[in-house]
Amino acid sequence: MIAIIDYGAGNLKSVEKALNELGIKAFVTSDKEEIKSANGVILPGVGSFDSAINELRQKGLEGVIIEAIGLKKPFLGICLGYQLLFESSEEGKEKGLGILKGNVKKIKEGIVPHMGWNRLIIKKKTPLLNGISSGAMVYFAHSYFPSPSDSAIIMTETDYGISFASSIVKDNLYGIQFHPEKSGEIGLEMLKNFGGLIKHV
């Protein structure tokens, strides 16, 4: 069972629906005990960095997220949920979760926001990318991107005026800047692969 963390930051139901249609049991919740008891966790999100991190903290969910990752549960941060894993963001003044070293930077090249389809260049093959080839197209909608301090955690890069870390992996923790629920067959394959990680916990 996968818990999708509800902190009022969009695209929750679309992620839940995509997983359920794949036959993967998932539910949206802000209940700390439900998140703790889940086999895997997804932190989605669209919106602004400061309001999102403040909402997480007001709901008392910061510690639950850190605990879930520490327990080696499969964990997936999507879009803003990926950015929140880092130490800080140029979008706001609040500190991020700090689970990953590095900060989130503003896109300064091309048209902002970066919205639409773009390519994934695979830097590190992982179980999340099973069946997915370098050059696969996925859907983006963002104005900021994470810049990890440790380049070894970068799973894919994407070019948009500059090359940025469109996804990362560190042990059980995955973060992706694009929206798998909007990325057609490639996105569904990735969510299916994440569900497969749950079965092996």
Side-chain angles (χ1 to χ4, degrees), residues 34-113:
E34 288 184 342
I35 296 168
K36 286 179 180 180
S37 65
N39 302 110
V41 180
I42 293 178
L43 180 65
V46 293
S48 68
F49 190 93
D50 278 6
S51 62
I53 198 71
N54 284 332
E55 191 67 23
L56 275 177
R57 287 175 176 144
Q58 286 172 11
K59 290 181 179 294
L61 295 174
E62 182 176 18
V64 177
I65 290 168
I66 293 169
E67 181 181 341
I69 294 170
L71 289 173
K72 303 297 182 185
K73 291 184 180 185
F75 190 100
L76 177 63
I78 298 175
C79 196
L80 180 60
Y82 167 38
Q83 296 178 10
L84 293 172
L85 298 170
F86 289 83
E87 296 171 290
S88 63
S89 174
E90 291 181 357
E91 186 179 13
K93 298 178 180 179
E94 297 294 329
K95 289 182 179 180
L97 294 171
I99 295 163
L100 298 171
K101 299 294 183 184
N103 68 337
V104 178
K105 298 181 178 180
K106 184 174 177 60
I107 296 173
K108 296 177 181 176
E109 306 289 336
I111 298 170
V112 180

Side-chain angles (χ1 to χ4, degrees), residues 1-52:
M1 184 71 78
I2 297 174
I4 302 169
I5 297 178
D6 180 6
Y7 60 106
N11 80 317
L12 302 168
K13 288 295 183 181
S14 56
V15 175
E16 179 187 35
K17 182 180 178 183
L19 287 164
N20 287 334
E21 287 180 352
L22 289 167
I24 300 166
K25 292 181 179 179
F27 62 100
V28 174
T29 182
S30 59
D31 184 276
K32 287 181 273 189
E33 293 306 316
E34 288 184 342
I35 296 168
K36 286 179 180 180
S37 65
N39 302 110
V41 180
I42 293 178
L43 180 65
V46 293
S48 68
F49 190 93
D50 278 6
S51 62

